[in-house]
Amino acid sequence: MLKKILVALDRSDIGQQVFEQALVLAKATQAKLLLLHVLSPEEEGSPHIPMVSGYDYYPGLNGQSFEIYQKQWDTFKNEGVRMLQTLCAKANTQGVSTEFSQTLGNPGRTICKLATNWNADLIVMGHRGLSGVKELFLGSVSNYVLHHTPCSVHIVHDLGRVKDTEPVQDPTQEPQPLPA
């Protein structure tokens, strides 16, 4: 029986789908929701850290770059809180007890740690659809969570990003020969 559902959200397109599926599950099981947004420089839309060179041709430029970055980061944080507040209010008005948290950290580790500390029964999260070299360097948050969390995980796939590399063959048809 589900009593507590941790919903890991980011500001990508799939975030809304993740929330909607978690809300349906919570209504059906009368579970509580905890909406989580992990602030991470890896997240889509996150401001980029300014590069600082060893040569300071323009004094004050590095300070200005940092100030600009700090303003962008503050805006990014505030937008995350507004997203969480909006979704929390939506769930609460539909009769689902919901709270939210936004924290800075490594997304995979943060999700697993909060799931353990909050005694979550289920984590609902999205899958970015990274593969190959991107997944090797950036890692897969959903893969990390699947292998390191103490509870069940429901992965929401972004159907808009699914790309077939090979056409699906109808099993009732004879295989077609490859072109020469």
Side-chain angles (χ1 to χ4, degrees), residues 49-177:
I49 299 172
M51 300 303 291
V52 179
S53 70
Y55 303 101
D56 201 4
Y57 293 119
Y58 303 102
L61 185 60
N62 291 340
Q64 285 177 327
S65 295
F66 182 75
E67 286 177 24
I68 291 168
Y69 169 75
Q70 188 62 48
K71 286 180 183 177
Q72 290 172 338
W73 186 257
D74 290 343
T75 300
F76 182 69
K77 284 179 12 182
N78 292 336
E79 288 171 356
V81 168
R82 280 194 296 276
M83 171 192 71
L84 291 169
Q85 288 172 329
T86 300
L87 296 175
C88 187
K90 181 177 180 179
N92 283 322
T93 58
Q94 293 189 31
V96 176
S97 175
T98 306
E99 55 187 296
F100 68 86
S101 175
Q102 177 170 266
T103 187
L104 177 66
N106 173 286
R109 287 190 206 114
T110 303
I111 292 165
C112 291
K113 184 177 180 181
L114 186 55
T116 301
N117 292 343
W118 192 59
N119 294 318
D121 300 306
L122 177 68
I123 297 171
V124 179
M125 63 185 301
H127 177 64
R128 291 189 293 185
L130 298 180
S131 62
V133 176
K134 277 188 179 180
E135 185 174 10
L136 178 65
F137 286 108
L138 297 176
S140 168
V141 175
S142 55
N143 188 43
Y144 181 90
V145 171
L146 280 168
H147 289 91
H148 293 91
T149 191
C151 63
S152 297
V153 180
H154 175 74
I155 304 291
V156 178
H157 291 274
D158 185 358
L159 298 178
R161 291 184 102 173
V162 173
K163 297 176 184 168
D164 291 333
T165 54
E166 296 180 16
V168 177
Q169 185 80 327
D170 182 351
T172 62
Q173 291 183 346
E174 289 293 318
Q176 299 295 318

